[in-house]
């Protein structure tokens, strides 16, 4: 079992409580990593260390150093990617192919933002006689990066890399289910001498202790949270006492829309891709609400009903597995609770239970499940289930389609499948979501921003905006001729 510790001020230290926490392989219930739980005092010590690093080193002023550090980190992640991917699949459950993509993307974040570190520019203007105004983009200060378990490397690096590139110091709070793989990433950071001690700290523990203290502590200037919308609300409430800056990447209930002129086979593939079965559906932007035109509704359901029961459920490390376990027993029970609610209000097309055949009985496996025409105000149509569960709703008119698509409190993403690009663009402009994919689903680009409308979040990750989130603007107002000074 992997023994994990906190990383504070450049040292590996034991968290100070005697209480233990263990991460579990969701495919078989075996322990993966263990650590003592951190206390509020441990968080305070990490925040002090981050503050000292900002005050006593050149980190926040030396963009060249930051670029070098991040580019080295990118190389280290690449060199260790197979080991990280295997550990990720073991601790989180997702299929190895997706873990490999996650490791590669994590390296890419370090590379992309390492490249941008030397390209953070302000402006100058001289818009009145005898004046020159200069605006600088400065780091915000100490950033608490609170990571989720569903992307413990990628979603950590998505915020950590731009925060560091902009010259901030960070305190990382890994998710409790996946602190082992995050610790291994921090080990790579610890080995890179360009990161001054204290610039990156790592504190393992419960969200309600470590996360909540980060959100409350006045020494933390900004929180970057990726997590559940309810957690976002709580963090926002806690952070309000010191008016912290917030980057919130939260939940989703995204519509994947199939118009009647879509290529049928491509649309089926699109629905499966959008469902993210390779992570057992546990991806924030999954297209979990399939909206299909009435004319092809029945044939669409028939095809899903044929394909899904044949998908291979198993351990994510098995190369034949298409649907791995969900992350934990608690999560499995939560998903199965939604499935039972769904059975009470709509037609079950396929799935509908836990998979327990043979070895599967040791892990937390849920069958891929589809419900047809749930009431639009029902829990399964409105709430984020975060599992391999899809709902299908049919529509006849554009008004009907838009009212269903926009009819939740979320607004993270959407997909549209059609041969008519005009129709697609027309609809994309009317859909309330931070990302709309046309004839694809889930494709990300380092240089294109991602984030939520409505209650799916605040701020943007990826791209140049994802870097500017971690800066604040200082205006320096210069009087170029002191003799002309007017009071
Ligand atoms: P979660 O909200 O349970 O936990 C996220 C992190 O917050 C964890 O580290 C947790 O320990 C911490 N936390 C929990 N309670 C806290 C509190 N009171 N104060 C401070 N921190 C606290 O989310 P999860 O279950 O780990 O991840 C799944 C959720 O994340 C889903 O809702 C998913 O949609 C969302 N998500 C969003 C994006 C995005 O880009 N928008 C990406 C991935 C996941």
């Amino acid at each position: 079992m992997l023994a994990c510790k906190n990383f504070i001020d450049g040292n590996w230290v034991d968290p100070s409580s005697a209480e233990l926490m263990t991460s579990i392989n969701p495919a078989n219930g075996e322990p993966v990593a263990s650590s003592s739980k951190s206390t509020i005092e441990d968080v305070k010590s990490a925040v002090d260390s981050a503050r000292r690093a900002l005050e006593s080193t050149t980190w926040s002023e030396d963009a060249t150093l930051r670029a070098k550090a991040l580019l080295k980190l990118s190389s280290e992640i690449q060199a260790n990617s197979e080991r990280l991917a295997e550990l990720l699949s073991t601790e989180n459950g997702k299929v190895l192919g997706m873990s490999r993509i996650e490791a590669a993307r994590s390296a890419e974040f370090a590379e992309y933002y390492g490249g941008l570190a030397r390209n953070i520019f302000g402006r100058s203007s001289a818009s009145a006689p005898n004046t020159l105004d200069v605006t600088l983009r400065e780091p915000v200060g100490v950033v608490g990066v609170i990571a989720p378990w569903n992307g413990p490397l990628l979603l950590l690096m998505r915020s950590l890399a731009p925060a560091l590139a902009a010259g901030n110091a960070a305190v990382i709070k890994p998710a409790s289910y996946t602190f082992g793989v995050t610790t291994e990433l921090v080990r790579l950071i610890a080995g890179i001498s360009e990161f001054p001690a204290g610039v990156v700290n790592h504190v393992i523990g419960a969200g309600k202790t470590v996360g909540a203290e980060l959100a409350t502590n006045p020494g933390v200037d900004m929180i970057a949270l990726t997590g559940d919308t309810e957690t976002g609300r709580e963090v926002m409430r806690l952070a309000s006492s010191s008016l912290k800056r917030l980057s919130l990447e939260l939940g989703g209930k995204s519509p994947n829309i199939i118009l009647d002129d879509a290529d049928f086979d491509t649309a089926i593939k699109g629905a499966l891709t959008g469902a993210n079965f390779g992570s057992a559906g546990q991806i924030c932007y999954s297209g979990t609400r399939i909206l299909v035109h009435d004319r092809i509704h029945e044939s669409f359901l028939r095809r899903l009903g044929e394909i899904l029961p044949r998908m291979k459920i198993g351990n994510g490390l098995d190369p034949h597995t298409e649907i791995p376990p969900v992350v934990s027993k608690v999560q499995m029970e939560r998903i199965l609770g939604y499935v039972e609610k769904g059975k009470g209000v709509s037609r079950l097309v396929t799935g509908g239970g836990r998979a327990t055949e043979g070895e599967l009985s040791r892990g937390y496996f849920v069958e891929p499940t589809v419900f047809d025409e749930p009431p639009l105000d029902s829990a399964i149509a409105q709430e984020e289930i975060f599992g391999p569960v899809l709902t299908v709703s049919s529509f006849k008119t554009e008004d009907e389609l838009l009212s269903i698509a926009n009819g939740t409190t979320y607004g993270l993403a959407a997909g549209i499948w059609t041969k008519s690009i005009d129709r697609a663009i027309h609809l994309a402009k009317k859909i309330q979501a931070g990302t709309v994919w046309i004839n694809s689903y889930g494709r990300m680009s380092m240089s294109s921003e991602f984030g939520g409308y409505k209650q799916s979040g605040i701020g943007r990750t990826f791209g140049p905006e994802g870097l500017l989130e971690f800066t604040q603007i200082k205006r320096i107002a210069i009087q170029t001729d002191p003799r002309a000074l007017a009071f």
Side-chain angles (χ1 to χ4, degrees):
M1 194 166 33
L2 201 61
C4 300
K5 293 185 177 190
N6 287 342
F7 185 65
I8 297 177
D9 205 14
N11 299 305
W12 292 99
V13 286
D14 279 315
S16 55
S17 102
E19 210 184 328
L20 280 182
M21 59 196 279
T22 306
S23 66
I24 301 290
N25 180 340
N28 54 26
E30 288 171 7
V32 178
S34 81
S35 169
S36 306
K37 283 187 182 171
S38 300
T39 60
I40 288 175
E41 290 312 312
D42 297 324
V43 182
K44 286 182 175 160
S45 155
V47 172
D48 289 348
S49 146
R51 177 69 52 201
R52 267 196 313 279
L54 287 179
E55 285 167 2
S56 63
T57 73
T58 57
W59 178 254
S60 62
E61 291 167 324
D62 192 343
T64 305
L65 177 69
R66 303 200 299 268
K68 275 190 191 153
L70 283 163
L71 294 177
K72 274 199 181 173
L73 177 57
S74 176
S75 305
E76 283 297 313
I77 297 173
Q78 284 173 53
N80 288 276
S81 61
E82 194 56 24
R83 188 171 65 78
L84 289 171
E86 280 176 19
L87 180 55
L88 175 55
S89 282
T90 307
E91 201 173 38
N92 159 293
K94 67 176 74 178
V95 298
L96 189 56
M98 290 195 91
S99 293
R100 287 184 175 135
I101 292 172
E102 174 156 350
R105 279 267 149 153
S106 305
E108 213 181 334
F109 273 114
E111 181 188 51
Y112 177 77
Y113 285 111
L116 280 191
R118 279 176 281 197
N119 293 279
I120 302 173
F121 304 119
R123 288 194 316 263
S124 61
S125 69
S127 56
N130 305 311
T131 67
L132 174 63
D133 278 18
V134 176
T135 56
L136 301 176
R137 288 268 179 187
E138 294 193 334
V140 179
V142 175
V143 180
V145 183
I146 305 180
W149 48 262
N150 73 324
L153 300 176
L154 184 151
L155 298 173
L156 168 69
M157 287 304 294
R158 186 176 69 169
S159 295
L160 181 67
L164 295 174
N168 300 284
V171 180
I172 299 166
K173 190 275 186 226
S176 304
Y177 291 140
T178 48
F179 62 86
V181 73
T182 308
T183 303
E184 288 306 291
L185 179 78
V186 173
R187 244 185 255 290
L188 301 180
I189 295 175
I192 296 171
S193 60
E194 279 78 2
F195 287 110
V199 158
V200 179
N201 306 274
H202 178 239
V203 184
I204 300 168
K208 290 203 169 1
T209 319
V210 174
E213 173 59 21
L214 279 175
T216 312
N217 191 306
V220 176
D221 302 291
M222 176 171 177
I223 293 287
L225 164 79
T226 304
D228 188 72
T229 292
E230 205 43 58
T231 310
R233 257 183 226 117
E234 174 65 2
V235 163
M236 201 169 181
R237 196 181 65 73
L238 295 172
S240 69
S241 61
S242 48
L243 277 182
K244 290 187 202 334
R245 300 272 296 268
L246 292 171
S247 156
L248 301 177
E249 288 286 342
L250 308 176
K253 188 79 179 169
S254 301
N256 199 359
I257 300 161
I258 299 163
L259 302 186
D260 51 351
D261 69 345
D263 178 80
F264 188 75
D265 291 337
T266 308
I268 290 280
K269 276 192 202 141
L272 298 175
T273 306
N276 284 306
F277 285 129
S279 291
Q282 302 166 112
I283 302 273
C284 54
Y285 58 73
S286 293
T288 51
R289 291 187 300 140
I290 298 182
L291 275 55
V292 59
H293 192 279
D294 181 61
R295 210 165 56 74
I296 52 173
H297 175 211
E298 277 309 318
S299 45
F300 188 83
L301 285 178
R302 226 180 358 264
R303 186 70 73 83
L304 281 189
E306 287 160 10
I307 296 174
L308 266 51
R310 292 206 300 264
M311 291 183 86
K312 179 162 167 38
I313 302 177
N315 189 321
L317 289 171
D318 175 343
H320 301 295
T321 292
E322 292 169 292
I323 305 188
V326 298
V327 76
S328 68
K329 188 161 182 277
V330 171
Q331 196 64 15
M332 178 183 73
E333 284 166 357
R334 188 174 166 276
I335 296 165
L336 292 174
Y338 275 110
V339 169
E340 287 314 307
K341 279 187 194 169
K343 286 177 186 169
V345 295
S346 75
R347 180 164 83 90
L348 177 67
V349 178
T350 182
R354 181 177 177 184
T356 51
E357 213 177 287
E359 281 290 290
L360 300 185
S361 64
R362 297 171 63 207
Y364 314 126
F365 296 90
V366 177
E367 292 171 338
T369 297
V370 178
F371 287 107
D372 185 34
E373 303 284 24
L376 296 174
D377 60 354
S378 62
I380 60 163
Q382 288 292 323
E383 295 170 21
E384 186 181 47
I385 300 173
F386 226 53
V389 180
L390 302 174
T391 61
V392 175
S393 301
S394 65
F395 63 88
K396 286 191 178 116
T397 65
E398 181 184 308
D399 283 352
E400 218 181 330
L401 151 61
L402 287 172
S403 121
I404 304 173
N406 291 332
T408 74
T409 53
Y410 294 108
L412 194 55
I416 302 172
W417 299 85
T418 173
K419 287 197 188 110
S420 162
I421 194 69
D422 294 356
R423 281 177 87 190
I425 292 172
H426 169 74
L427 287 174
K429 288 168 76 176
K430 289 184 179 284
I431 287 173
Q432 293 169 347
T435 296
V436 181
W437 286 290
I438 296 175
N439 293 327
S440 75
Y441 203 101
R443 187 180 66 76
M444 294 289 180
S445 157
M446 274 297 140
S447 44
S448 300
E449 283 73 11
F450 179 84
Y453 274 34
K454 301 198 281 184
Q455 294 183 32
S456 285
I458 295 177
R460 290 293 176 269
T461 52
F462 285 86
E465 294 293 332
L467 175 64
L468 298 181
E469 289 276 317
F470 293 93
T471 65
Q472 55 188 337
I473 295 174
K474 176 176 284 167
R475 170 181 174 233
I476 300 179
I478 305 161
Q479 189 71 22
T480 54
D481 182 356
R483 287 168 305 172
L485 200 58
F487 288 100

